[in-house]
Amino acid sequence: MSNQVAEQVSKSPLINNSKVKKGSNISISKYISYLFLVILCVIWIVPVVFGITTSFRSQTEVVSSGFRLFPKEWIFENYVTILENTSTAPILRWLVNSLYIASVHTFLVVVVISITGYGYSRMNFKGRDTLFFTLMGISFFPGVVNLIPSYKIIDSLGWVNSAWAMIIPGLAGMGNIFLVRQFMRGIPKDLDESAHVDGAGHFRIYWSIIMPLVRPVLIVCALFSFTGSWNDFLWPVIVFTDVDKMPVTAGLLLLQDIYGNYRMIGQLMGSAILAIIPTLVIFLFAQKYFTQSINLNSGIKG
Amino acid sequence: MKKKMSLAPAFFVGPHIILFLVFILLPTIYGIYASFTKWNLMSDPTWVGLDNYRTILFDSSSTFHTQFTNGLKNTLLFVLFTVPILIVLPLLIAVSLEHKKVKGKGLIQAILYVPGLISISAGALIWLLLFNKQLGFVGNLFNSDVSWPANQPYAWIIIIVITVWGGVGGNLIIYRASISGVAQDLYESASIDGAGPIRRFASITLPSIRFPLIYTFVMTTAGAFNVFGQPLMMTDGGPRQSTHVLMMYIRQLAFGNGESIAGMASAMAVLLGIVILIISALQYYVMNRNAA
């Protein structure tokens, strides 16, 4: 195939001045790439900047001055108002709820996936792989089917309007366990065998030999669990009706009624921005883990 | 000693198996069972056989039939509008970022990734203001004086925009990681043979990232079928239910105001699940065969 290409090109009359041509091609494609990327970045970042700056503008300015990216006058009253609202839209309460739910969920995810992953990769018992792949197979079934009964189960456990409704069900998933198991299988067996000889039990080996080695995967899983739990929308909208108990994503759904149909725009934007900040801060500090995660994925798939 | 050895695995995998049984297997089986019943979530379900399915699929005088066909149609439209963009755009970005001369790759990637970390409810509040005819840029820059969420095709446009905005980053990172794994000498020898950038992309890059492509295509499509938050927040299903997707009807029937119609909602959920399964299997089958 490449011979054909070469043949075609060598017949081309342009081949002699290809040097000149090629140089200008590279710079043209470079500028096109740049233009494309810069335009996208502007479109992508304008909403975030606009949301932030609007949260510092007064209602009269927003309404009278039309679309502007930056305020004429920066004010902080919007934030004072939303933080002082503790009844109809208790944003601080919602943020604390979200933080509690996402943190406890993330901690338990790490515990469950590392212990379970250890069991499926470093222990030998009858039917281990059959069991694992059976569970994997079942988990591929579309989740929409178990949505309604899940609510019924949560209700029977008395967890409607409780943080547990968001903390526990997600621990049953198989995706992260698959990832951790895959990673643990890559660790040489002699490590735990020599520890076994020295008299160490499984828990000891799990904790002091395997855990330190799989830390990177666990960090990645933890970050995605945290942001996933923080941003979850459908499930909290279903299991929370109590305004004081709900996480911030479900709370924001109520805001348009509370702050009117854009009667209090600064407050609306301020609330949205407060809900965004935690995941953005995490991304800022752990960016490399977010982008690394895919190397783990592609390692498996490729 | 032997007995102790056999108990240890139960301690390690047992807790998760219990979680799995209670929160995945049991609700899945119950969800399928409930689709054959009349159920209000509170009292015990009564078996009605195939009645729910018959109503949803064939009884054109029933509102459930109208809701299901409208919801499924709108869900399919959403999939058709968003999935191609969510595959092609990240791929184009990833290729542009591969250009040796382009600087600031990390920053560009971070900017495009960040909206993926913003919850739909927060993102929607901001985008709705941007699309507001008096206060946002559509009125002031485009001189548009219609209300976008309340008129077509604008209602679809704003749903697509916020979906693409939030969804590009995830696939972009997968494609970048896979493209950077393609051996450089392949490109170099192709260049020497005179292959242009488009040719190199089609005959080297695309085949080399076949698995990530299949993976992202299947996952993005399955995710799009579950769409709920974007239409709920941006248009609330309007105008005239033209963006009301199936998940919104399912939630409304099972958890809305008034008595729950969870049996009917479960039947719709099972049908949506079957559609997702069939489409995923087809995609996997077709792409894997074509690529081989």
Side-chain angles (χ1 to χ4, degrees), chain A residues 27-39:
Chain A
S27 64
I28 287 171
S29 73
K30 178 180 119 183
Y31 288 123
I32 292 173
S33 297
Y34 254 131
L35 192 67
F36 172 63
L37 292 169
V38 167
I39 290 173

Side-chain angles (χ1 to χ4, degrees), chain A residues 53 56-58 61 68 70-75:
Chain A
T53 55
F56 291 104
R57 301 163 77 191
S58 69
E61 192 198 308
R68 294 168 56 102
F70 292 101
K72 287 181 199 151
E73 195 190 344
W74 295 76
I75 59 148

Side-chain angles (χ1 to χ4, degrees), chain A residues 2 29-30 34 44 47 115 125 149 152-153 172 174 177 231 234 237 249 256 262 265 269 279 283 291 294, chain B residues 9 12 16 22 27 41 99 101 103 109 113 117 119 121 125-128 135 165 173-174 193 247 251:
Chain A
S2 54
S29 73
K30 178 180 119 183
Y34 254 131
W44 254 240
I115 287 185
F125 56 92
K152 184 66 190 170
I153 291 169
M174 291 297 292
I177 293 175
N231 289 333
L234 172 63
V237 164
T249 44
Q256 270 170 314
Y262 291 98
I265 291 160
M269 292 303 114
T279 48
F283 179 71
T291 46
I294 309 312
Chain B
F12 277 82
H16 173 262
V22 176
L41 272 182
H99 207 292
K101 295 272 170 59
K103 291 195 179 67
Q109 176 174 293
Y113 187 79
L117 295 170
S119 75
S121 45
L125 286 179
I126 298 173
W127 274 106
L128 276 173
L135 312 167
W165 178 71
I173 283 179
I174 298 182
D193 288 347
M247 275 306 274
R251 176 207 170 212

Side-chain angles (χ1 to χ4, degrees), chain B residues 99-118:
Chain B
H99 207 292
K100 284 192 193 69
K101 295 272 170 59
V102 169
K103 291 195 179 67
K105 292 174 184 178
L107 180 67
I108 294 171
Q109 176 174 293
I111 289 173
L112 297 174
Y113 187 79
V114 153
L117 295 170
I118 295 175

Side-chain angles (χ1 to χ4, degrees), chain A residues 59 63 256-268:
Chain A
Q59 179 72 14
V63 175
Q256 270 170 314
D257 295 332
I258 292 155
Y259 290 127
N261 195 13
Y262 291 98
R263 266 186 295 114
M264 289 177 241
I265 291 160
Q267 282 88 330
L268 266 178

Side-chain angles (χ1 to χ4, degrees), chain B residues 240-255:
Chain B
R240 275 166 275 106
Q241 312 243 329
S242 60
T243 56
H244 211 117
V245 294
L246 199 49
M247 275 306 274
M248 289 167 72
Y249 285 118
I250 292 172
R251 176 207 170 212
Q252 208 172 298
L253 292 176
F255 308 108

Side-chain angles (χ1 to χ4, degrees), chain A residues 101-130:
Chain A
I101 290 168
S103 309
V104 178
H105 174 72
T106 303
F107 172 74
L108 291 177
V109 162
V110 171
V111 172
V112 169
I113 63 175
S114 59
I115 287 185
T116 316
Y118 182 93
Y120 284 120
S121 62
R122 316 292 297 179
M123 295 175 109
N124 291 309
F125 56 92
K126 214 172 151 232
R128 181 189 73 180
D129 292 351
T130 317

